Each structure stands twice: as C-alpha cells, then as structure tokens.
Amino acid sequence: MAQTSQAEAQRLVDRALKLGDAELAADIRAFAKQREFGLVFEHNRPERMRLYGKPVSAGDTVQVMAPRGERESDENRTCWKVESVLGGVANLAGIDNPGETCEVPLSDLVSVAEYDDPIFAGLRETGRIERGHDKPYQVVINGENYHALESLLFCYAGKIDCIYIDPPYNTGARDWKYNNDYVDGGDEYRHSKWLAFMERRLKLARQLLNQSESVLVCTIDEKEYLRLGLLLEQVFPNAHIQMVSIVINPNGVARDHEMYRVEEYAFFVYVGSAGPAMLEDSLFTSDVNQSKGAVDNSAASRSKSKVRWEWLMRGGSNSDRSHSPGCFYPVYIDTDAKRIVDVGDPLPKGEHPSSKQDRDGLVTVWPIARGTGNEKVWQMSAAGLKDLVAKGYAKVGAHDAKRDRWSLLYLGRNQRERIKRGEIKVIDRDKNGVVIVEESEESAVLKVPKTIWNRQAHNAGEYGSRLIRAMLPGRIFSYPKSLFAVEDTLRSVLQDKPEAIVVDFFAGSGTTAHAVMRLNHQDGGRRHCICITNNEVSDKEAASLTKEGFRQGDFEWEQRGICEYITKPRVVSAITGLTPEGKRLTGNYGTERETYVEDKEDIVISKSTGREINKKIYVKKRVPDPGVRDQFPMSDGFEENAVFYDLTYEDPRLVEFGESFDAVAPLLWLRAGARGSVIEHEQKGFAVADTYAVLFTYAYANEFVEAVSANPAVRCAFVVTDDEGRFASVAAQLPGRDVVRLYESYLQSFKIAAEGAVN
C-alpha cells in the first residue's frame, strides 16, 4: 500500500537520525520522493470526452465526425482548435497535427474536453412522473458521468449517504470506451486506462460523501478486483474496506480453461463511523432446504430466539482491573431473594477486596475470575450499573455451588435499543422488579451480514435480465444486476437511514433507483437516488444506425441509447406499473417457484423388514421465493416521483451575466432537497418555492428576507449579486439556512473541481 511504504521510508529516516547519520536520512528522503509506492499506473493519461449537444464556437477543441454512413476511425479522434466560425463553417487549426488547417461545416464537428478542463454544466428537464406527493424525486441524469459528478458537487458536496456503482469490468470484450474508443483485450495500456478512469471519478465521489458517516459500494469481477482494492485504499486511506462475494449465477459461467464462475465481488468502503446495519438475514446460508428443496417463508417459520442476558463481568482483552480501575467495585446481593440490593464504590488502586467489609445478610460479589482468581472488571461503571438495576435491566444469575460464586447478568446496549424500537417486549416484571422480556412477534433475530451472500434472489439472469424483459418487452440490456441483490446491498447500509441520499454514476438500466424505491415501499422511507448514465448504444446497434446514415447526437440515434431506451422507461414503468406501451405489468416482485414441500406423513411397509414405518410425503407446489421480501404485484407501482434531465454545457460568461438561469435552475432545486416546486425561469424581484428561494433583484432584499424568514420549509436561499457586501448582508439575516451567492458559487464549484482533477 502507498501509505504503508511511505511510513516504512519515514521509519528508516527516523532510524538514521537516531544513529546520528543526517546524510543518510536526507538520501532516504530524496529517494522516497522520487519513488511512487503502492499501485503504480499512469494517473494522468489523457482522457478526452466528447460534449455532444454543446454549440461549437471559436476557441473550442473539436473533433471531426465521420461522414454519414461511415464508421469512425482514428482520424476522427484527431483534435483541432476552432480559429473562427463564419457562415456555418469553422476554420480549424491542428492540435494533434500542428501546422495543419482545414474548413469543416459546424454540423460535422463535436466539441471535446480533457478531463481536467474546466466545464460548466447545467441540466435540461426531459420529463417527469409524479405519484409520490411531497416525497423527494428520484433523479436520472443523461450525460458524461465525470462532468455530471462535477455538477453534483455544487449540490451535494459532503451530503451523500451512499454511493453504489457497477463500473465497467474491463474484461477485454470491448465493454467500455476510453477517448471515445472501445478498450479491448489487446490494448497493452488497458489496465492503466481503467485505473486512471476510475481514480478520477472516485476522487469526485469522495468529495460527495458525508465524511462523518457514509458508504461507497463498488461491484467488480475477477478481472480487476485486485487493482480496484488497492485503488480504493489509496483514494480512501482512512476508510475501513471489506469485500463481499455475491453468488449471481449458481449454474456458473464458463471461463476458458478455468473453473466455472458463480460470483462477483462488492467492495464496501465505510467512511467515518459507518458500518453494516443489523438485518434479519445474514445473507450467507441458503434459503432453500437442500435435502428436498422445501422452503418456508411464513412469519411463523422465522427463528425467534430467547432474549440474551450478558455477563456483567468483562472478558477478553482489556478486562483486567488495571485497565479500568473505576469498574472494580463490589455488588451486594440478597441470595435468598436473588436480588441486587446495592452497588458499592470503586476500590482504590492497590487495595485488596478483603479490605472491604461485607454487609449483614448480604453477599459481596467482586469481578474476580473463576478458577484463576484474577481481578477483572465489570462491564460498566458503578453509576451505570445502579441505573440498570433501577430500570430492572440487571439481575442475579446462577450460583456456582462448586466455587460458591454468584453470576450477575444485564441487558446489553443492543438489547436495550431493541426494547426502545419495540423489537423486544417487556411483558412483565418479577418480584424483584427485573424485566421479563421476549422477542416481539414481528421481530426476527437481527444479524450482521456475512461476507459471502448466497441467495437465489441474487440470480442476475432471473431477477435482472428477465425482469427487464417483463417491464420493457422487446428491449434488451446486457448484464443487468439482480434487483434484489442491489436492494439487499443498499439495505445492509441504509436500513436505519430512511432519508438517505444515494448516488449511482454508472446507473446502466436504473436498478439502483428501482431498489431505492422498493426499500421506501417496505419501511415508508423517503430515500432518493441520483442516477447518472450515458446514452451510448451497443456496438451492434451503432453499426446498424451508422449504416442508416445516423450519427451520435441525431434524434434517431439518441432514442436507442441506454438512458432513453432502457433507464428512463424502466423507472417510469416501475412507478406506474405499466409497460412503455401502456399495458399493466404482470407478475409479482419475486417469482413463485415449483419445489417440493412436506404434505403429510403416511404409514408404509418396509420392503426389507416388513415392518410399518412412518414416511414423509412430499408434493410439488409453487411457493413464493423465500429470498424476496415485500412480494406484491408489479402493476401496483410505487408512490414515488421521478424527474429526468440531460446534462448541458454552458458558457461561463453567459452564466455570470445571468443568461443561463434556466440551465442552472435544476441544480438549485436539487441542492434544496429535490422535492416540491421548481423556480424554472428568472423573474423580477424574487421567487419562493416549497424548499428554496431566489433573490434576482437586490432592491427586493428586505421583502425577500421577510418572505424566507416566514417560511421554515425554505432551507436554501440563493442571492444573485456580484457584490460580496450585499450578499453578506442578506446571509446575516437568514441564520440557519444554506445561503448561496449566485453565480459566483456555481462557477467556483466547477473551477475547484477542475483544479482538483490534477491533484
């Protein structure tokens, strides 16, 4: 790892200095600076991105598209600078080939940007669906994900709870593009290209995440999982990272001269205090009875364990008296009533328990280990135990007659939290006031998910490909994730975050947004997802469209792209319960499977002994898939809202002069929570929406402040001014709100993103 190697270099420097050899220490420092440790690749490989839809103007970098009817070649990836534009024709000067010039119609040009070039993005709405009342909107953005992430930094820097991504796996099978060209298995730089491509986007993702508590999940297969793991450690040096293996194809996928592959991997990057949620299902053990294929998904079949009381005396590491002297104190019990009567004060350091007198009629219990006699400590302070005794959460346990010792028990923090949540019920109290508890009928035993997930519901063929075919008849999307695999992934980190904001910047078919809506359906949550996907067509589709004379950017081409053809209609279909043709979806979430279930027992005669024996009779039945919770008709849809945008590229000069408000407007709405009404156009004075307000004319500042102050639902206030003093005056009158200066804050956000790209 990069950090480990650098730390080793520093240790060598320290050792040299300790030996008095300053010259050696200086040589080590110089060597370490010249050396790149950890995962070594070409971080700054050129990455050129085509900006389809951006008007070409003088000063732009452009590429000349292939003539209609012809496929693109290396020649069409040559870059030119636009010297001037006259009458729909651009005069070009060579960048890759200095000294060359030519004239090309504007209609044959497409603007190009390097990843570290400053761009200024906006959004243009292309549709919406509303069934969720005042809930936040699920958002789908069609555009280059690097630039879309830069735009989200203006809205969500440090606010995102979870990022889930399923990036290109770099299989060598032309599954992704770099510099507008497919990367195949014969490209000797394909690993460096992939790592540079991923690193840039992960650095932007890091800025979006809430640094106090958030999670990034990245799926991958065996081709790049080793490099991805090292890259994640370098981009997130302070995070805790785990890798989970997920069985996505129980039948296996053939590999040339290799074992069949049944799984893929998911890296969980826990930022800050984040960690896995407690679930009813560890996701490890099979949900099918392997002996007969029988399944039982009824509530009555769920395991319901006895509520666990924990030992009061601490065990394991840091359990000796010397580690926590304040937790070494006497507990006085009435052995006849089996009751804790009192809790004494901690014994001063160095004093022996024998120095403390017993109390009449009571037995004194100390945290002393059975057998060894070593002095240990209790799990909590004396004050903490007194509080638990008063609440009935601590009690006297069993008596060890052989050693004449009494054990003490208490309900741990997790159990007490479950009582608060209603998962454990207090049904009575005993004669000593100690609670009598049991698992709630609705509550299953909660578990921490394990690192191998083996669920039929995670089968990508059945719950990915077939699901999309059911929702979008006749439309094909290659290798979609199982909806329920993504749902379980998100549940494992967002179970207790019903208001979470999720980002997926490799959104593909829109599975993440679909999974977020299912989570909300299960617990009434208001989570919302921002999905980013491009509008690429498959290689086969591109060849067909090219043959017909179409090019990327044409309406006919764009209508067949991933976002327009799959992602948007899938999200709409999920919400409305209808196919794109208006037909009701058929089937439930989760399929019924034909399997064997126990029907009855019968008496039969053994052929070998002639005796009567009891034999269980199994019959074939169709039963619900046990790995899918919340099974309901897909035609019901969801009570959710969704909005769809195309990413646009704006002229910063026009933005600064207030000429591009319509493109910036959706970003203001997103920053304010992505719900309620939208201020779509600039107007005189000011405007107030459900969750934010915009001051366009400073002369109306007093009325603006009064209107915003009177509306507690307005969480953001945007002030259009180039005067710092005027902005500060308005901000000072709106404490507790997110007050933003336009357009300076918007422009600065993209400049900072571009500067950060090279660091």
Side-chain angles (χ1 to χ4, degrees):
M1 305 321 126
Q3 293 72 30
T4 303
S5 301
Q6 289 167 355
E8 181 62 29
Q10 185 58 48
R11 281 194 288 271
L12 292 173
V13 169
D14 294 341
R15 185 174 181 184
L17 291 174
K18 189 174 182 180
L19 295 173
D21 195 334
E23 184 177 351
L24 177 59
D27 288 342
I28 295 172
R29 286 197 190 98
F31 176 77
K33 286 182 179 179
Q34 297 171 3
R35 184 92 175 161
E36 186 173 7
F37 296 107
L39 184 62
V40 180
F41 61 96
E42 297 180 57
H43 300 263
N44 294 314
R45 285 196 64 83
E47 185 180 351
R48 289 170 172 168
M49 307 169 191
R50 285 189 169 183
L51 313 182
Y52 289 99
K54 180 185 183 301
V56 174
S57 58
D60 284 357
T61 298
V62 297
Q63 291 177 347
V64 181
M65 292 186 284
R68 292 187 179 277
E70 297 182 16
R71 300 205 70 170
E72 296 215 331
S73 63
D74 290 341
E75 181 180 350
N76 303 115
R77 285 181 279 277
T78 300
C79 285
W80 303 79
K81 182 177 181 180
V82 178
E83 295 290 327
S84 61
V85 177
L86 183 63
V89 176
N91 295 305
L92 308 181
I95 294 176
D96 294 337
N97 300 315
E100 289 191 21
T101 61
C102 64
E103 293 183 349
V104 179
L106 287 177
S107 59
D108 289 337
L109 299 178
V110 59
S111 292
V112 176
E114 292 279 1
Y115 76 93
D116 55 351
D117 289 341
I119 61 94
F120 301 88
L123 297 173
R124 180 177 63 251
E125 184 177 325
T126 59
R128 62 175 54 208
I129 185 76
E130 297 175 327
R131 293 186 73 200
H133 310 291
D134 68 339
K135 294 176 71 172
Y137 283 62
Q138 311 301 329
V139 179
V140 177
I141 299 174
N142 168 23
E144 159 57 48
N145 62 5
Y146 187 86
H147 295 151
L149 285 171
E150 288 184 314
S151 69
L152 291 186
L153 287 176
F154 172 72
C155 312
Y156 295 113
K159 297 179 181 178
I160 299 301
D161 298 291
C162 176
I163 293 177
Y164 175 95
I165 53 174
D166 180 37
Y169 286 3
N170 201 21
T171 63
R174 296 168 65 84
D175 62 333
W176 69 294
K177 287 184 176 181
Y178 196 83
N179 289 338
N180 205 46
D181 191 22
Y182 281 109
V183 179
D184 59 35
D187 189 331
E188 61 182 348
Y189 292 104
R190 72 183 179 97
H191 296 299
S192 265
K193 287 178 178 179
W194 188 85
L195 287 165
F197 172 87
M198 289 296 297
E199 181 186 47
R200 290 162 192 155
R201 288 153 180 79
L202 289 171
K203 284 183 175 180
L204 292 175
R206 183 181 61 197
Q207 296 178 62
L208 285 171
L209 289 169
N210 180 340
Q211 294 303 300
S212 62
E213 184 182 9
S214 59
V215 182
L216 179 141
V217 183
C218 184
T219 59
I220 200 71
D221 73 359
E222 76 274 18
K223 300 294 189 303
E224 292 287 4
Y225 83 101
L226 292 171
R227 296 179 186 86
L228 176 62
L230 291 171
L231 179 62
L232 290 171
E233 288 188 344
Q234 292 186 185
V235 176
F236 297 92
N238 299 316
H240 176 64
I241 302 175
Q242 271 193 304
M243 189 181 80
V244 172
S245 298
I246 305 175
V247 177
I248 63 167
N249 187 343
N251 294 326
V253 177
R255 295 285 197 260
D256 189 26
H257 298 294
E258 295 178 357
M259 298 179 187
Y260 277 36
R261 197 88 195 172
V262 301
E263 89 282 17
E264 67 177 16
Y265 311 106
F267 282 98
F268 285 70
V269 181
Y270 296 110
V271 177
S273 61
M278 299 286 288
L279 305 178
E280 294 179 7
D281 184 358
S282 73
L283 302 172
F284 172 60
T285 54
S286 175
D287 47 17
V288 177
N289 182 327
Q290 298 295 336
S291 62
K292 287 288 184 180
V295 292
D296 185 359
N297 196 39
S298 64
S301 72
R302 294 190 202 136
S303 60
K304 187 176 173 186
S305 68
K306 186 177 180 181
V307 177
R308 179 172 177 248
W309 289 74
E310 300 180 23
W311 297 104
L312 183 63
M313 189 167 68
R314 188 181 303 172
S317 59
N318 299 328
S319 62
D320 291 336
R321 178 181 178 183
S322 59
H323 285 100
S324 301
C327 293
F328 187 80
Y329 52 83
V331 179
Y332 302 100
I333 66 172
D334 180 339
T335 57
D336 292 333
K338 294 189 68 175
R339 178 171 67 93
I340 296 176
V341 176
D342 197 8
V343 177
D345 296 326
L347 195 65
K349 185 178 180 179
E351 286 192 24
H352 192 270
S354 60
S355 65
K356 202 78 171 177
Q357 291 186 349
D358 293 332
R359 297 185 184 181
D360 291 342
L362 302 178
V363 170
T364 307
V365 181
W366 293 92
I368 295 177
R370 299 174 182 175
T372 64
N374 294 335
E375 294 179 347
K376 299 291 185 179
V377 291
W378 300 121
Q379 294 276 14
M380 65 202 67
S381 66
L385 180 57
K386 287 180 181 178
D387 181 61
L388 293 188
V389 171
K391 293 177 178 177
Y393 290 167
K395 66 180 181 180
V396 176
H399 180 244
D400 182 349
K402 184 176 181 180
R403 297 181 176 84
D404 193 23
R405 295 292 307 275
W406 288 88
S407 64
L408 302 180
L409 306 173
Y410 78 108
L411 288 175
R413 178 177 298 177
N414 183 52
Q415 304 292 52
R416 300 196 301 271
E417 288 296 321
R418 293 185 67 198
I419 290 175
K420 290 181 182 178
R421 294 196 299 264
E423 296 167 5
I424 294 175
K425 287 185 178 180
V426 177
I427 59 174
D428 203 351
R429 291 178 181 265
D430 66 14
K431 61 182 180 180
N432 296 323
V434 176
V435 295
I436 300 173
V437 290
E438 68 175 18
E439 295 272 355
S440 298
E441 288 297 327
E442 302 81 12
S443 174
V445 180
L446 298 182
K447 311 173 184 69
V448 176
K450 297 186 178 179
T451 55
I452 296 179
W453 295 1
N454 183 19
R455 282 289 178 270
Q456 174 64 27
H458 296 170
N459 187 317
E462 186 168 354
Y463 297 112
S465 300
R466 291 181 188 174
L467 182 68
I468 288 182
R469 287 199 295 270
M471 300 178 73
L472 310 175
R475 306 190 187 194
I476 298 174
F477 180 82
S478 300
Y479 310 117
K481 285 279 183 286
S482 161
L483 170 62
F484 307 118
V486 178
E487 180 184 317
D488 283 338
T489 300
L490 295 178
R491 180 183 292 107
S492 73
V493 295
L494 299 179
Q495 171 87 355
D496 303 319
K497 292 187 175 182
E499 303 275 345
I501 306 175
V502 182
V503 168
D504 180 353
F505 52 90
F506 289 101
S509 67
T511 306
T512 305
H514 200 163
V516 166
M517 291 189 287
R518 274 188 50 84
L519 287 181
N520 287 344
H521 186 270
Q522 292 159 29
D523 63 10
R526 295 168 60 87
R527 305 171 186 86
H528 74 280
C529 179
I530 299 101
C531 286
I532 303 167
T533 184
N534 59 34
N535 203 36
E536 286 188 357
V537 301
S538 68
D539 197 24
K540 182 179 179 181
E541 191 83 48
S544 175
L545 288 166
T546 299
K547 190 175 181 179
E548 294 177 46
F550 299 118
R551 291 192 299 211
Q552 190 164 353
D554 292 343
F555 174 82
E556 293 81 0
W557 185 294
E558 296 301 319
Q559 288 303 298
R560 304 292 290 186
I562 294 171
C563 188
E564 292 293 334
Y565 197 59
I566 300 292
T567 319
K568 287 169 59 175
R570 179 196 183 156
V571 172
V572 172
S573 177
I575 293 175
T576 62
L578 303 173
T579 69
E581 294 73 33
K583 296 182 179 179
R584 290 175 62 86
L585 296 178
T586 59
N588 292 346
Y589 283 106
T591 60
E592 289 190 341
R593 292 194 283 146
E594 190 174 76
T595 187
Y596 287 95
V597 296
E598 185 178 334
D599 181 52
K600 60 182 179 179
E601 286 193 359
D602 203 358
I603 298 176
V604 297
I605 305 298
S606 170
K607 291 181 179 179
S608 58
T609 65
R611 297 178 180 177
E612 292 185 350
I613 58 173
N614 290 329
K615 183 179 180 181
K616 291 182 179 179
I617 306 298
Y618 291 88
V619 296
K620 273 188 177 182
K621 285 187 178 180
R622 295 191 65 81
V623 297
D625 190 318
V628 179
R629 65 177 68 197
D630 194 25
Q631 300 189 31
F632 62 95
M634 293 171 62
S635 60
D636 285 358
F638 296 99
E639 292 186 357
E640 295 281 351
N641 304 313
V643 62
F644 308 102
Y645 293 113
D646 282 348
L647 193 73
T648 63
Y649 295 94
E650 304 303 315
D651 185 327
R653 293 166 297 182
L654 296 179
V655 172
E656 193 169 6
F657 294 142
E659 299 295 325
S660 298
F661 179 80
D662 290 9
V664 176
L667 297 174
L668 310 185
W669 177 75
L670 289 176
R671 181 162 178 156
R675 66 181 183 86
S677 55
V678 182
I679 302 170
E680 297 179 337
H681 309 294
E682 186 172 353
Q683 52 194 275
K684 184 179 179 180
F686 65 90
V688 180
D690 292 329
T691 60
Y692 71 106
V694 182
L695 175 61
F696 295 102
T697 310
Y698 186 76
Y700 291 80
N702 291 335
E703 294 92 330
F704 176 75
V705 169
E706 184 178 341
V708 172
S709 299
N711 191 340
V714 174
R715 54 193 294 180
C716 294
F718 299 94
V719 181
V720 179
T721 179
D722 58 2
D723 188 300
E724 177 64 31
R726 288 182 170 183
F727 169 73
S729 173
V730 174
Q733 298 177 71
L734 296 172
R737 287 177 169 82
D738 179 19
V739 185
V740 182
R741 179 180 164 196
L742 292 180
Y743 293 93
E744 188 272 342
S745 179
Y746 164 86
L747 295 169
Q748 190 65 18
S749 174
F750 286 100
K751 291 174 184 176
I752 291 171
E755 292 168 0
V758 297
N759 296 328

